Amino acid sequence: MKLPVLAVVLAMSLSSGPQMGIVTGGATGTYIKIGEDIKKIAEPSRISLQVFESAGSIQNVFDVRRKRGVQLGIVQSDVLDYIRDISDDNELKAIAAKLAAVYPLYKEEVHVLGDLSLKTLHDLHGKRVAIGPQRSGTYLTAKTIFFQTGITPSKEVFLGGKEALEALRRGEIDAMFYVAGAPATLFSENTTVDDKFQLIGLDDKALDSYVTTVIPAGTYKWQESEVRTVAVKAVLITFSYAGEQCQNVAKVAQIIRENKGWLDVNGHPKWREVNLDERLPKWPQYECVAATQEQPQPKPKGPNIKIVR
């Protein structure tokens, strides 16, 4: 069957531009939606951006260097702390040394949910704690927090969100970590007052590499008071490429900047939290991107896509 002429022309025009890739997260998560938004605004500039699912931040660090056709990835901001202080993988350390930020994105609050007997973060010492699947973002955050605070659970349980919540409900664990923008759907839709759960504060000076934040009272129906916690930033990253890839990544960064207004209205709601001029400690901005930011900026045009208001 012949393709319509318009489809053929579009395919030819896209194929004549850069072929790029971005590694994101799970099929239903926020990372992949952010990747799809970037793909959409890149297409009118004849950049063909393939969006890949992934197992999480650590896998994305490997993939921006090793996966064919991938130049971009999304990771949590504390991934470098984990790699530097905890990981014993020398290859991972070597790759991480040459990572750079394209832009910081949005924040994700660290939720620690437990039973009513736990009052502070240090009450997790000697307890059974679910910390997410191995090498997931939640896993590396929990491991980094334990390292920085000196907390040692009696057992670290590698369960994802729903499985960990059910294990907590059955009394098989004492607490669980979960990293997600508040309100986290997992807790909003799957917990009630009858569960007798509570959020445990993460107000600890040792966690100075994290952003401090508050989960307001009433964020969850059983949460009567605000909880001080910390947050990680989702970060759009790249490897320190040179030559053509340097130019391609810089062009995508420029397209994101030019279309930030469109993304705020039409993209995932988390785009509204993004400050493209923010700089993160420990994450130098990619030189090729920084160079374009210093040049006079063209008047934003927006992609050739109808804005819905």
Side-chain angles (χ1 to χ4, degrees), residues 194-211:
D194 294 337
D195 288 316
K196 293 184 170 52
F197 293 150
Q198 67 172 340
L199 289 174
I200 300 162
L202 273 70
D203 191 7
D204 192 301
K205 292 180 181 179
L207 302 176
D208 58 0
S209 62
Y210 289 90
V211 178

mmCIF file with all atom_site columns, all heavy atoms in Angstrom, residues 194-211:
data_model
loop_
_atom_site.group_PDB
_atom_site.id
_atom_site.type_symbol
_atom_site.label_atom_id
_atom_site.label_alt_id
_atom_site.label_comp_id
_atom_site.label_asym_id
_atom_site.label_entity_id
_atom_site.label_seq_id
_atom_site.pdbx_PDB_ins_code
_atom_site.Cartn_x
_atom_site.Cartn_y
_atom_site.Cartn_z
_atom_site.occupancy
_atom_site.B_iso_or_equiv
_atom_site.pdbx_formal_charge
_atom_site.auth_seq_id
_atom_site.auth_comp_id
_atom_site.auth_asym_id
_atom_site.auth_atom_id
_atom_site.pdbx_PDB_model_num
ATOM 1   N N   . ASP A 1 194 ? -7.699  4.530  57.495 1.00 0.00 ? 194 ASP A N   1
ATOM 2   C CA  . ASP A 1 194 ? -7.715  3.246  58.200 1.00 0.00 ? 194 ASP A CA  1
ATOM 3   C C   . ASP A 1 194 ? -6.377  2.514  58.141 1.00 0.00 ? 194 ASP A C   1
ATOM 4   O O   . ASP A 1 194 ? -6.103  1.627  58.965 1.00 0.00 ? 194 ASP A O   1
ATOM 5   C CB  . ASP A 1 194 ? -8.812  2.336  57.635 1.00 0.00 ? 194 ASP A CB  1
ATOM 6   C CG  . ASP A 1 194 ? -10.205 2.878  57.913 1.00 0.00 ? 194 ASP A CG  1
ATOM 7   O OD1 . ASP A 1 194 ? -10.340 3.663  58.880 1.00 0.00 ? 194 ASP A OD1 1
ATOM 8   O OD2 . ASP A 1 194 ? -11.139 2.529  57.164 1.00 0.00 ? 194 ASP A OD2 1
ATOM 9   N N   . ASP A 1 195 ? -5.522  2.863  57.173 1.00 0.00 ? 195 ASP A N   1
ATOM 10  C CA  . ASP A 1 195 ? -4.213  2.209  57.087 1.00 0.00 ? 195 ASP A CA  1
ATOM 11  C C   . ASP A 1 195 ? -3.300  2.586  58.244 1.00 0.00 ? 195 ASP A C   1
ATOM 12  O O   . ASP A 1 195 ? -2.359  1.867  58.559 1.00 0.00 ? 195 ASP A O   1
ATOM 13  C CB  . ASP A 1 195 ? -3.524  2.580  55.768 1.00 0.00 ? 195 ASP A CB  1
ATOM 14  C CG  . ASP A 1 195 ? -4.155  1.918  54.570 1.00 0.00 ? 195 ASP A CG  1
ATOM 15  O OD1 . ASP A 1 195 ? -4.453  0.715  54.644 1.00 0.00 ? 195 ASP A OD1 1
ATOM 16  O OD2 . ASP A 1 195 ? -4.342  2.606  53.543 1.00 0.00 ? 195 ASP A OD2 1
ATOM 17  N N   . LYS A 1 196 ? -3.560  3.758  58.838 1.00 0.00 ? 196 LYS A N   1
ATOM 18  C CA  . LYS A 1 196 ? -2.725  4.261  59.944 1.00 0.00 ? 196 LYS A CA  1
ATOM 19  C C   . LYS A 1 196 ? -1.262  4.398  59.511 1.00 0.00 ? 196 LYS A C   1
ATOM 20  O O   . LYS A 1 196 ? -0.336  3.971  60.201 1.00 0.00 ? 196 LYS A O   1
ATOM 21  C CB  . LYS A 1 196 ? -2.857  3.368  61.178 1.00 0.00 ? 196 LYS A CB  1
ATOM 22  C CG  . LYS A 1 196 ? -4.241  3.408  61.810 1.00 0.00 ? 196 LYS A CG  1
ATOM 23  C CD  . LYS A 1 196 ? -4.314  2.585  63.080 1.00 0.00 ? 196 LYS A CD  1
ATOM 24  C CE  . LYS A 1 196 ? -5.620  2.817  63.830 1.00 0.00 ? 196 LYS A CE  1
ATOM 25  N NZ  . LYS A 1 196 ? -6.829  2.644  63.004 1.00 0.00 ? 196 LYS A NZ  1
ATOM 26  N N   . PHE A 1 197 ? -1.090  5.019  58.349 1.00 0.00 ? 197 PHE A N   1
ATOM 27  C CA  . PHE A 1 197 ? 0.235   5.347  57.848 1.00 0.00 ? 197 PHE A CA  1
ATOM 28  C C   . PHE A 1 197 ? 0.557   6.800  58.154 1.00 0.00 ? 197 PHE A C   1
ATOM 29  O O   . PHE A 1 197 ? -0.337  7.614  58.394 1.00 0.00 ? 197 PHE A O   1
ATOM 30  C CB  . PHE A 1 197 ? 0.315   5.151  56.329 1.00 0.00 ? 197 PHE A CB  1
ATOM 31  C CG  . PHE A 1 197 ? 0.199   3.724  55.874 1.00 0.00 ? 197 PHE A CG  1
ATOM 32  C CD1 . PHE A 1 197 ? -0.351  3.432  54.627 1.00 0.00 ? 197 PHE A CD1 1
ATOM 33  C CD2 . PHE A 1 197 ? 0.636   2.673  56.666 1.00 0.00 ? 197 PHE A CD2 1
ATOM 34  C CE1 . PHE A 1 197 ? -0.446  2.126  54.185 1.00 0.00 ? 197 PHE A CE1 1
ATOM 35  C CE2 . PHE A 1 197 ? 0.543   1.353  56.233 1.00 0.00 ? 197 PHE A CE2 1
ATOM 36  C CZ  . PHE A 1 197 ? -0.010  1.087  54.987 1.00 0.00 ? 197 PHE A CZ  1
ATOM 37  N N   . GLN A 1 198 ? 1.836   7.147  58.090 1.00 0.00 ? 198 GLN A N   1
ATOM 38  C CA  . GLN A 1 198 ? 2.244   8.539  58.201 1.00 0.00 ? 198 GLN A CA  1
ATOM 39  C C   . GLN A 1 198 ? 3.494   8.782  57.382 1.00 0.00 ? 198 GLN A C   1
ATOM 40  O O   . GLN A 1 198 ? 4.267   7.852  57.109 1.00 0.00 ? 198 GLN A O   1
ATOM 41  C CB  . GLN A 1 198 ? 2.511   8.918  59.659 1.00 0.00 ? 198 GLN A CB  1
ATOM 42  C CG  . GLN A 1 198 ? 3.714   8.211  60.258 1.00 0.00 ? 198 GLN A CG  1
ATOM 43  C CD  . GLN A 1 198 ? 4.084   8.746  61.624 1.00 0.00 ? 198 GLN A CD  1
ATOM 44  O OE1 . GLN A 1 198 ? 3.716   9.854  61.984 1.00 0.00 ? 198 GLN A OE1 1
ATOM 45  N NE2 . GLN A 1 198 ? 4.803   7.953  62.408 1.00 0.00 ? 198 GLN A NE2 1
ATOM 46  N N   . LEU A 1 199 ? 3.693   10.032 56.967 1.00 0.00 ? 199 LEU A N   1
ATOM 47  C CA  . LEU A 1 199 ? 4.929   10.426 56.313 1.00 0.00 ? 199 LEU A CA  1
ATOM 48  C C   . LEU A 1 199 ? 5.942   10.810 57.381 1.00 0.00 ? 199 LEU A C   1
ATOM 49  O O   . LEU A 1 199 ? 5.608   11.517 58.340 1.00 0.00 ? 199 LEU A O   1
ATOM 50  C CB  . LEU A 1 199 ? 4.681   11.613 55.371 1.00 0.00 ? 199 LEU A CB  1
ATOM 51  C CG  . LEU A 1 199 ? 3.893   11.317 54.104 1.00 0.00 ? 199 LEU A CG  1
ATOM 52  C CD1 . LEU A 1 199 ? 3.597   12.615 53.363 1.00 0.00 ? 199 LEU A CD1 1
ATOM 53  C CD2 . LEU A 1 199 ? 4.651   10.358 53.202 1.00 0.00 ? 199 LEU A CD2 1
ATOM 54  N N   . ILE A 1 200 ? 7.154   10.352 57.213 1.00 0.00 ? 200 ILE A N   1
ATOM 55  C CA  . ILE A 1 200 ? 8.224   10.608 58.172 1.00 0.00 ? 200 ILE A CA  1
ATOM 56  C C   . ILE A 1 200 ? 9.103   11.730 57.633 1.00 0.00 ? 200 ILE A C   1
ATOM 57  O O   . ILE A 1 200 ? 9.536   11.694 56.468 1.00 0.00 ? 200 ILE A O   1
ATOM 58  C CB  . ILE A 1 200 ? 9.047   9.330  58.398 1.00 0.00 ? 200 ILE A CB  1
ATOM 59  C CG1 . ILE A 1 200 ? 8.133   8.223  58.939 1.00 0.00 ? 200 ILE A CG1 1
ATOM 60  C CG2 . ILE A 1 200 ? 10.212  9.581  59.348 1.00 0.00 ? 200 ILE A CG2 1
ATOM 61  C CD1 . ILE A 1 200 ? 8.701   6.841  58.786 1.00 0.00 ? 200 ILE A CD1 1
ATOM 62  N N   . GLY A 1 201 ? 9.368   12.739 58.460 1.00 0.00 ? 201 GLY A N   1
ATOM 63  C CA  . GLY A 1 201 ? 10.148  13.880 58.027 1.00 0.00 ? 201 GLY A CA  1
ATOM 64  C C   . GLY A 1 201 ? 11.599  13.539 57.745 1.00 0.00 ? 201 GLY A C   1
ATOM 65  O O   . GLY A 1 201 ? 12.194  12.668 58.390 1.00 0.00 ? 201 GLY A O   1
ATOM 66  N N   . LEU A 1 202 ? 12.190  14.240 56.787 1.00 0.00 ? 202 LEU A N   1
ATOM 67  C CA  . LEU A 1 202 ? 13.609  14.061 56.451 1.00 0.00 ? 202 LEU A CA  1
ATOM 68  C C   . LEU A 1 202 ? 14.342  15.368 56.708 1.00 0.00 ? 202 LEU A C   1
ATOM 69  O O   . LEU A 1 202 ? 15.015  15.921 55.846 1.00 0.00 ? 202 LEU A O   1
ATOM 70  C CB  . LEU A 1 202 ? 13.778  13.635 54.986 1.00 0.00 ? 202 LEU A CB  1
ATOM 71  C CG  . LEU A 1 202 ? 13.697  12.137 54.697 1.00 0.00 ? 202 LEU A CG  1
ATOM 72  C CD1 . LEU A 1 202 ? 12.286  11.630 54.889 1.00 0.00 ? 202 LEU A CD1 1
ATOM 73  C CD2 . LEU A 1 202 ? 14.173  11.828 53.290 1.00 0.00 ? 202 LEU A CD2 1
ATOM 74  N N   . ASP A 1 203 ? 14.183  15.892 57.908 1.00 0.00 ? 203 ASP A N   1
ATOM 75  C CA  . ASP A 1 203 ? 14.796  17.163 58.286 1.00 0.00 ? 203 ASP A CA  1
ATOM 76  C C   . ASP A 1 203 ? 16.126  16.873 58.958 1.00 0.00 ? 203 ASP A C   1
ATOM 77  O O   . ASP A 1 203 ? 16.215  16.763 60.176 1.00 0.00 ? 203 ASP A O   1
ATOM 78  C CB  . ASP A 1 203 ? 13.847  17.912 59.231 1.00 0.00 ? 203 ASP A CB  1
ATOM 79  C CG  . ASP A 1 203 ? 14.287  19.348 59.464 1.00 0.00 ? 203 ASP A CG  1
ATOM 80  O OD1 . ASP A 1 203 ? 15.234  19.776 58.786 1.00 0.00 ? 203 ASP A OD1 1
ATOM 81  O OD2 . ASP A 1 203 ? 13.701  20.022 60.322 1.00 0.00 ? 203 ASP A OD2 1
ATOM 82  N N   . ASP A 1 204 ? 17.178  16.730 58.174 1.00 0.00 ? 204 ASP A N   1
ATOM 83  C CA  . ASP A 1 204 ? 18.485  16.326 58.705 1.00 0.00 ? 204 ASP A CA  1
ATOM 84  C C   . ASP A 1 204 ? 19.570  17.143 58.010 1.00 0.00 ? 204 ASP A C   1
ATOM 85  O O   . ASP A 1 204 ? 19.634  17.194 56.781 1.00 0.00 ? 204 ASP A O   1
ATOM 86  C CB  . ASP A 1 204 ? 18.705  14.828 58.479 1.00 0.00 ? 204 ASP A CB  1
ATOM 87  C CG  . ASP A 1 204 ? 19.901  14.293 59.245 1.00 0.00 ? 204 ASP A CG  1
ATOM 88  O OD1 . ASP A 1 204 ? 21.022  14.790 59.018 1.00 0.00 ? 204 ASP A OD1 1
ATOM 89  O OD2 . ASP A 1 204 ? 19.715  13.378 60.069 1.00 0.00 ? 204 ASP A OD2 1
ATOM 90  N N   . LYS A 1 205 ? 20.442  17.787 58.789 1.00 0.00 ? 205 LYS A N   1
ATOM 91  C CA  . LYS A 1 205 ? 21.479  18.652 58.222 1.00 0.00 ? 205 LYS A CA  1
ATOM 92  C C   . LYS A 1 205 ? 22.454  17.887 57.342 1.00 0.00 ? 205 LYS A C   1
ATOM 93  O O   . LYS A 1 205 ? 23.124  18.473 56.486 1.00 0.00 ? 205 LYS A O   1
ATOM 94  C CB  . LYS A 1 205 ? 22.235  19.354 59.353 1.00 0.00 ? 205 LYS A CB  1
ATOM 95  C CG  . LYS A 1 205 ? 21.389  20.371 60.122 1.00 0.00 ? 205 LYS A CG  1
ATOM 96  C CD  . LYS A 1 205 ? 22.206  21.033 61.225 1.00 0.00 ? 205 LYS A CD  1
ATOM 97  C CE  . LYS A 1 205 ? 21.343  22.036 61.991 1.00 0.00 ? 205 LYS A CE  1
ATOM 98  N NZ  . LYS A 1 205 ? 22.106  22.686 63.096 1.00 0.00 ? 205 LYS A NZ  1
ATOM 99  N N   . ALA A 1 206 ? 22.576  16.578 57.555 1.00 0.00 ? 206 ALA A N   1
ATOM 100 C CA  . ALA A 1 206 ? 23.502  15.782 56.748 1.00 0.00 ? 206 ALA A CA  1
ATOM 101 C C   . ALA A 1 206 ? 23.070  15.702 55.289 1.00 0.00 ? 206 ALA A C   1
ATOM 102 O O   . ALA A 1 206 ? 23.878  15.374 54.412 1.00 0.00 ? 206 ALA A O   1
ATOM 103 C CB  . ALA A 1 206 ? 23.625  14.380 57.329 1.00 0.00 ? 206 ALA A CB  1
ATOM 104 N N   . LEU A 1 207 ? 21.825  16.027 55.018 1.00 0.00 ? 207 LEU A N   1
ATOM 105 C CA  . LEU A 1 207 ? 21.298  15.905 53.652 1.00 0.00 ? 207 LEU A CA  1
ATOM 106 C C   . LEU A 1 207 ? 21.417  17.230 52.904 1.00 0.00 ? 207 LEU A C   1
ATOM 107 O O   . LEU A 1 207 ? 20.487  17.680 52.236 1.00 0.00 ? 207 LEU A O   1
ATOM 108 C CB  . LEU A 1 207 ? 19.831  15.447 53.705 1.00 0.00 ? 207 LEU A CB  1
ATOM 109 C CG  . LEU A 1 207 ? 19.591  14.121 54.427 1.00 0.00 ? 207 LEU A CG  1
ATOM 110 C CD1 . LEU A 1 207 ? 18.102  13.816 54.497 1.00 0.00 ? 207 LEU A CD1 1
ATOM 111 C CD2 . LEU A 1 207 ? 20.337  12.983 53.743 1.00 0.00 ? 207 LEU A CD2 1
ATOM 112 N N   . ASP A 1 208 ? 22.588  17.870 53.006 1.00 0.00 ? 208 ASP A N   1
ATOM 113 C CA  . ASP A 1 208 ? 22.755  19.202 52.433 1.00 0.00 ? 208 ASP A CA  1
ATOM 114 C C   . ASP A 1 208 ? 22.889  19.205 50.915 1.00 0.00 ? 208 ASP A C   1
ATOM 115 O O   . ASP A 1 208 ? 22.886  20.259 50.290 1.00 0.00 ? 208 ASP A O   1
ATOM 116 C CB  . ASP A 1 208 ? 23.948  19.912 53.068 1.00 0.00 ? 208 ASP A CB  1
ATOM 117 C CG  . ASP A 1 208 ? 25.254  19.144 52.901 1.00 0.00 ? 208 ASP A CG  1
ATOM 118 O OD1 . ASP A 1 208 ? 25.238  18.055 52.297 1.00 0.00 ? 208 ASP A OD1 1
ATOM 119 O OD2 . ASP A 1 208 ? 26.292  19.635 53.373 1.00 0.00 ? 208 ASP A OD2 1
ATOM 120 N N   . SER A 1 209 ? 23.011  18.034 50.309 1.00 0.00 ? 209 SER A N   1
ATOM 121 C CA  . SER A 1 209 ? 23.083  17.989 48.849 1.00 0.00 ? 209 SER A CA  1
ATOM 122 C C   . SER A 1 209 ? 21.702  17.941 48.204 1.00 0.00 ? 209 SER A C   1
ATOM 123 O O   . SER A 1 209 ? 21.582  17.956 46.983 1.00 0.00 ? 209 SER A O   1
ATOM 124 C CB  . SER A 1 209 ? 23.907  16.771 48.391 1.00 0.00 ? 209 SER A CB  1
ATOM 125 O OG  . SER A 1 209 ? 23.295  15.565 48.803 1.00 0.00 ? 209 SER A OG  1
ATOM 126 N N   . TYR A 1 210 ? 20.655  17.880 49.029 1.00 0.00 ? 210 TYR A N   1
ATOM 127 C CA  . TYR A 1 210 ? 19.281  17.839 48.536 1.00 0.00 ? 210 TYR A CA  1
ATOM 128 C C   . TYR A 1 210 ? 18.594  19.184 48.719 1.00 0.00 ? 210 TYR A C   1
ATOM 129 O O   . TYR A 1 210 ? 18.998  19.996 49.553 1.00 0.00 ? 210 TYR A O   1
ATOM 130 C CB  . TYR A 1 210 ? 18.483  16.760 49.277 1.00 0.00 ? 210 TYR A CB  1
ATOM 131 C CG  . TYR A 1 210 ? 18.879  15.353 48.920 1.00 0.00 ? 210 TYR A CG  1
ATOM 132 C CD1 . TYR A 1 210 ? 19.877  14.689 49.626 1.00 0.00 ? 210 TYR A CD1 1
ATOM 133 C CD2 . TYR A 1 210 ? 18.265  14.677 47.870 1.00 0.00 ? 210 TYR A CD2 1
ATOM 134 C CE1 . TYR A 1 210 ? 20.255  13.392 49.303 1.00 0.00 ? 210 TYR A CE1 1
ATOM 135 C CE2 . TYR A 1 210 ? 18.634  13.382 47.535 1.00 0.00 ? 210 TYR A CE2 1
ATOM 136 C CZ  . TYR A 1 210 ? 19.627  12.750 48.253 1.00 0.00 ? 210 TYR A CZ  1
ATOM 137 O OH  . TYR A 1 210 ? 19.998  11.482 47.920 1.00 0.00 ? 210 TYR A OH  1
ATOM 138 N N   . VAL A 1 211 ? 17.526  19.384 47.962 1.00 0.00 ? 211 VAL A N   1
ATOM 139 C CA  . VAL A 1 211 ? 16.687  20.565 48.106 1.00 0.00 ? 211 VAL A CA  1
ATOM 140 C C   . VAL A 1 211 ? 15.684  20.310 49.230 1.00 0.00 ? 211 VAL A C   1
ATOM 141 O O   . VAL A 1 211 ? 15.002  19.289 49.243 1.00 0.00 ? 211 VAL A O   1
ATOM 142 C CB  . VAL A 1 211 ? 15.918  20.843 46.790 1.00 0.00 ? 211 VAL A CB  1
ATOM 143 C CG1 . VAL A 1 211 ? 14.993  22.039 46.949 1.00 0.00 ? 211 VAL A CG1 1
ATOM 144 C CG2 . VAL A 1 211 ? 16.895  21.052 45.642 1.00 0.00 ? 211 VAL A CG2 1
#
